[in-house]
Amino acid sequence: MAKFPETDPASERKRIIKQRNLMLGGLLAAMVVLFYFVSIARIGG
């Protein structure tokens, strides 16, 4: 069985928070793009 390297809990928490923030930022950006596409489609016809 492989042993996992000892990690600092604070740095692990920081990494998880950073990853979550990047995911939420990407989701927000995707929603903004979708909103603009829908708006343009409604105005266009």
Side-chain angles (χ1 to χ4, degrees), residues 19-38:
Q19 185 177 7
R20 186 183 64 197
N21 287 344
L22 287 174
M23 252 179 39
L24 286 174
L27 182 64
L28 179 61
M31 295 295 280
V32 167
V33 169
L34 181 65
F35 175 77
Y36 280 112
F37 280 153
V38 168

Side-chain angles (χ1 to χ4, degrees), residues 4-8:
F4 293 107
E6 294 295 324
T7 56
D8 181 27

